[in-house]
Amino acid sequence: MQLVKTIAALEAALASARAEGRQVGLVPTMGALHEGHASLVRRSVEENDLTVVSVFVNPTQFNDPKDLDTYPRTPEADARLLESFGADIMFAPTPEEVYPEPDTRIFSYPPVTEVMEGPRRPGHFNGVCQVVSKLFMFVRPQRAYFGEKDFQQIAVIRAMEADLKQGVQIVSCPIVRENDGLALSSRNALLTADERELAVNISRILFYSVAYASSHTVKETHATVVAALNALEGLEVEYFEIVDAHTLQAVKDWDDAEEVQGCITVYCGHRPVRLIDNVKYK
Ligand code: PAF
């Protein structure tokens, strides 16, 4: 695996693959890699001739500077893992390389940017679109791989690709979970042992709610999930929305959309750590 830090080195590393018309897959990440990322990289390795993994903690998508400071960074371990996952190129640029000038572009894709994370993390999806559109420009991949844990992010990136038409197929990959159900996340590394035990209730209650939903209304299911999680000391639901999986608009009735997803954000523990998860109802 080649480790490159500049756009010029990336261009050089990709030159022969491009000239030979080889298919390039991109897995954008912010590092602190885990098995969830491994599944994206392995899928890209299977489906492309060459896989580029970007490792870049993108400052423009953090609306809270403390969150940016405490975001886990493990570059050496990331490089070792990427090698073992079968990646060909690790692209780990500096912020100055990606943003030689402040990025003043504004991305807004209603309705998917206007709900859930949108109003709660102002500027977050704008920053995600800034960096992902740049990564698409630098790498020019045929396919890019994103995890479904960030369910709304995929919808936003699909909207961005429909707008900018950078010729990238957006591939969404299922959530990878610990054996007990906790969705894998780089933020899990910030949990204490006690908080880690507490956090498992998020997926446990979401899974329970899928069975519950078959004989209850959307409103009852929503209320049950929120009440069950808030009843546990150390957990606090920021939002739980039961939405049309495509428009991300809240549904009132299970028949309001063909595909329905429950998306949740929960604060866990003292710090607290903000954890997200989602589940498919239909
Ligand atoms: O999902 C993430 O890790 C980030 O939002 C992404 C897509 C790598 C952009 O920085």
Side-chain angles (χ1 to χ4, degrees):
M1 186 185 74
Q2 252 180 294
L3 169 58
V4 300
K5 296 191 172 185
T6 63
I7 297 160
L10 178 69
E11 283 285 330
L14 287 171
S16 62
R18 285 195 183 128
E20 289 158 15
R22 289 158 70 197
Q23 303 273 300
V24 177
L26 168 68
V27 183
T29 81
M30 297 208 296
L33 301 177
H34 49 66
E35 270 304 309
H37 299 108
S39 75
L40 307 182
V41 178
R42 293 197 182 107
R43 173 115 179 238
S44 174
V45 169
E46 257 171 49
E47 296 180 355
N48 300 280
D49 300 312
L50 196 145
T51 290
V52 179
V53 181
S54 58
V55 173
F56 178 63
V57 182
N58 173 38
T60 71
Q61 72 188 73
F62 286 82
N63 53 321
D64 175 357
K66 245 184 18 216
D67 197 19
L68 172 61
D69 287 348
T70 56
Y71 198 85
R73 289 166 172 86
T74 56
E76 288 86 18
D78 290 345
R80 280 195 301 275
L81 281 172
L82 286 181
E83 180 106 52
S84 75
F85 300 160
D88 299 286
I89 298 173
M90 170 170 160
F91 176 51
T94 60
E96 294 71 32
E97 184 71 8
V98 177
Y99 300 109
E101 300 292 335
D103 194 335
T104 54
R105 294 174 301 157
I106 303 290
F107 297 85
S108 172
Y109 297 113
V112 293
T113 46
E114 305 311 300
V115 292
M116 301 193 285
E117 299 288 295
R120 290 173 178 96
R121 299 181 74 190
H124 170 67
F125 287 126
N126 197 54
V128 168
C129 289
Q130 286 176 340
V131 77
V132 172
S133 62
K134 277 179 178 262
L135 291 168
F136 285 3
M137 279 190 280
F138 302 155
V139 179
R140 305 204 296 277
Q142 274 70 38
R143 296 178 196 82
Y145 296 78
F146 298 89
E148 282 169 10
K149 186 173 73 63
D150 295 298
F151 195 79
Q152 186 174 8
Q153 174 170 274
I154 297 184
V156 172
I157 289 169
R158 283 193 197 289
M160 182 194 80
E161 175 54 26
D163 176 28
L164 302 184
K165 297 186 176 52
Q166 291 181 288
V168 183
Q169 185 191 333
I170 309 302
V171 184
S172 68
C173 304
I175 298 178
V176 179
R177 297 182 180 279
E178 301 275 10
N179 286 340
D180 62 6
L182 179 68
L184 292 194
S185 163
S186 305
R187 288 172 198 267
N188 294 354
L190 302 173
L191 298 169
T192 63
D194 286 350
E195 290 166 354
R196 167 67 187 78
E197 268 187 38
L198 198 56
V200 74
N201 289 292
I202 302 169
S203 55
R204 189 178 63 76
I205 289 167
L206 281 185
F207 296 158
Y208 166 77
S209 79
V210 174
Y212 182 89
S214 61
S215 53
H216 293 82
T217 64
V218 170
K219 199 171 170 189
E220 287 163 344
T221 306
H222 181 276
T224 299
V225 168
V226 174
L229 284 165
N230 282 343
L232 298 168
E233 206 187 320
L235 292 184
E236 193 191 332
V237 176
E238 184 184 21
Y239 67 82
F240 175 52
E241 304 233 351
I242 300 180
V243 298
D244 178 316
H246 297 284
T247 64
L248 305 187
Q249 301 307 288
V251 296
K252 288 203 163 71
D253 193 280
W254 297 116
D255 290 333
D256 282 353
E258 257 175 43
E259 291 179 53
V260 176
Q261 203 81 10
C263 299
I264 198 160
T265 296
V266 180
Y267 287 106
C268 179
H270 295 102
R271 199 184 301 242
V273 181
R274 190 175 187 270
L275 299 173
I276 67 172
D277 200 348
N278 64 81
V279 75
K280 186 177 172 65
Y281 288 107
K282 62 178 255 204

